[in-house]
Amino acid sequence: MAIKKQYLKSKPVCKVTFSVPADEAKKVAVVGDFNNWNPKGSKLKKLKNGTFKGTFEFPNENSYEFRYLVDGNYINDAEADRFQWNDYAGTENAVLEV
């Protein structure tokens, strides 16, 4: 898994590209507190090499809890900026800081 950040000079946002290698998966989305944990509108596109990839814009100077939803199962990104315990889920969520 990988997270790539690109800060824009023209506006206060960061373009974040999420890459998830998941050859066998049918659907992958990135969900978090930025989209109310709803996979609609945050699905990643499957590439020919089996990696799912998508780019989204996030306002600068914020942090967001997120996870990947891979065929209905939640997984964290090992390369997240940090991890935050979530009492509601009873587990840690990955955190993106932009």
Side-chain angles (χ1 to χ4, degrees):
M1 291 179 237
I3 300 171
K4 180 182 164 196
K5 300 176 189 175
Q6 178 186 9
Y7 291 91
L8 302 182
K9 293 179 182 176
S10 59
K11 53 185 177 176
V13 298
C14 179
K15 283 190 172 188
V16 180
T17 300
F18 299 94
S19 299
V20 180
D23 289 340
E24 305 299 318
K26 291 186 177 16
K27 293 190 283 186
V28 177
V30 60
V31 295
D33 52 14
F34 52 85
N35 64 1
N36 292 318
W37 301 90
N38 187 339
K40 288 186 179 177
S42 63
K43 292 180 180 162
L44 305 183
K45 183 179 178 182
K46 189 169 190 175
L47 306 178
K48 289 181 181 180
N49 67 3
T51 297
F52 286 79
K53 196 172 195 176
T55 302
F56 306 94
E57 289 186 359
F58 292 89
N60 286 349
E61 299 180 17
N62 287 296
S63 62
Y64 304 94
E65 289 186 32
F66 77 97
R67 298 186 92 184
Y68 298 115
L69 186 59
V70 180
D71 289 342
N73 298 308
Y74 289 99
I75 59 169
N76 276 331
D77 191 322
E79 296 183 28
D81 295 319
R82 63 184 173 86
F83 297 91
Q84 177 73 42
W85 180 259
N86 182 298
D87 285 332
Y88 179 77
T91 188
E92 286 187 332
N93 288 332
V95 176
L96 172 70
E97 294 180 343
V98 293

